[in-house]
Amino acid sequence: MAVTTDIVRDIQVAGPEHEEQDYEHTVKTWLAGRYDEWPNEAGFEGLTEVRGPIELKVTGSIPPWAAGALYRTGPGGYDLENTPKGTFRTTHWFDGFAHTHKFDILHDPHCPRGPVRVLYSSRHQAEDYVDAIRKTGQLPRLSFGQRQDPCIGVFGKFMSVFKREEQRATPTSANVCVTVQADLPGFVRNIGQDNSGHRVGKKALFLATDASRIQEISPDTLEPIGLANQQLLHPLLKGPLSSAHAQRDPENGDLFNFNLDMGLYATYRIFRTSSADGATDILATISTSGLKPAYIHSFFLSPSFVILCVPSSHLGYMGISVPWNGNIVDAIEPFNRSKMCKWFTVDRLCGRGVVATFETPAGFFFHSINSFENHDKSTGDIDVFCDVVEYPSTDIIRAFEMDVLLNRKGKEESYLNDEKRLRNCLPRIVRRRFRVPSGNADKPSKIESEKILDIKAPHAGELPTINPNYATMKYRYVYSLANRGYSTLHDIIVKTDLTTLQTLYWQGPQGHTPGEAIFVPRSKPSNDRSDDDEDDGVLLSVILDGINKTSYLVCIDAKTMQELGQAVCDWAIGHGFHGSHVI
């Protein structure tokens, strides 16, 4: 059933005076069991692979300057019947089987008034991985949160700590489905520069997760091409964990990330890979007796620094708990408020390594938003601002277990009826400011940070995005997915003004769950911009209609949050994680 176009959208404007009221409303509606009145919006069944491309029906309008390819990735299946151990069921949302989607937004430049067309295709990315489960009834590799078979005894767990992975690597033997990134330096083949310094050659597309492994896929057909590890970039990048959200220098395209190796000490290696020649250098090696390995999904990049925050999501027994438990979630130590978040500021311009450290109260985050700087010309000191979607504990990680999301055997009520735990699962945007002193000190400066902004849900949400032209710059608007207590996952796209603290909402009909909103800026010459240009663009979001089990791509005016158009699918697209718009 196609989605009709005469739906009334719920547009709301709210300011800081409403923040506490709306926050309490979200808590109360969840505690009252309001989610039981809504259909299951997760869309975990009947997900379709469409190798296409298939042309979608477009209603309304999509601006021609939004043309390009929107890639999305995330889970595309969860259960397998008739394995040797019966039905295999994925136990955590993040471990669903990889499924990548492509929306080709097409416009004929020779026909400026012609309609914009949208073609759709998709492909499963982990076929050999899934086949291995089908043959054995268990995962072939460590996972994010898959609960281990209770029949595995202590000896089996002991051996799993030491055994090597025996599965033969193929392009589809790993489950990689968190982020989509184009033309990663160091991994891209046949990329060079012309006489003007512009990159030329083959385009490439990659999928990443919170491991050092990445998967290359075809940007045209989405066909898996191969797997690679960060050790391909540099021999010291041998650790198993990394960030799914590699950062790129907006000026030159250099790639930044960290690699986490575990042993007697946790070792975090911050590295940069040059976009010009693919060479990788280690900017800092961070390893101290008091530093533990942790699950870290993202980090910060400012014009002068790479900022790594090690949150209070420590992995037990210096990481040995991961193979012992078979997954990261069960390896995370019980949350303890004495375990402070540790911050490391790494110079990325002058090779000074770690130049400043500080601590903040215990907490957790999945997603950094942006980081920018203010330079004190009189002292040479640099004020650094880091914005993040923060939680007061790690409870949110288990809130994404499948039993909780699908409310199997009353798991959602039991998990969320604990008011303290529920409040811990509500995101908030936090901005911290700290000052990096000038000079070339022999040891990193121990500094203090100041929290200068704290915006509560539902005026802030998850999967935050910004205008990409403002990365590492002072900016104003964040777009995220929030939940006002009326659905299982997200129910609104919220635009948060970090200057006025006002918000605008876009909301679909009952049972519609929005995906990450990708910002596409209006094409303009660099010298034709004003202060009002930051929100001059559109948001592209894949919406799951949980009632009719269909999906559609929605195009929203980022300035007004009014809907402009839709491209409708007659099938469901699983509620995924991240995406990228590639021209």
Side-chain angles (χ1 to χ4, degrees), residues 318-343:
M318 298 307 290
I320 295 178
S321 285
V322 177
W324 177 267
N325 290 283
N327 66 72
I328 290 175
V329 172
D330 290 329
I332 295 176
E333 295 177 351
F335 186 77
N336 186 327
R337 298 214 170 272
S338 68
K339 299 175 181 178
M340 306 283 280
C341 297
K342 297 181 181 294
W343 295 68

Side-chain angles (χ1 to χ4, degrees), residues 70 105 120 127 132 191 196 242 293 309 321 330 336 343 354 368 389 396 441 447 449 463 502 512 550 554 562 566:
L70 175 69
I105 303 170
Y120 171 82
E127 292 173 344
I191 290 291
S196 301
S242 187
C309 173
S321 285
D330 290 329
N336 186 327
W343 295 68
V354 178
S368 59
V389 177
I396 186 61
I447 59 177
S449 71
L463 302 176
Q502 291 188 319
H512 288 217
T550 59
V554 67
Q562 296 281 353
Q566 296 182 6

Side-chain angles (χ1 to χ4, degrees), residues 369-384:
I369 303 173
N370 198 18
S371 184
F372 57 95
E373 300 173 0
N374 181 41
H375 290 241
D376 188 326
K377 295 181 180 180
S378 62
T379 65
D381 296 345
I382 303 176
D383 284 328
V384 183

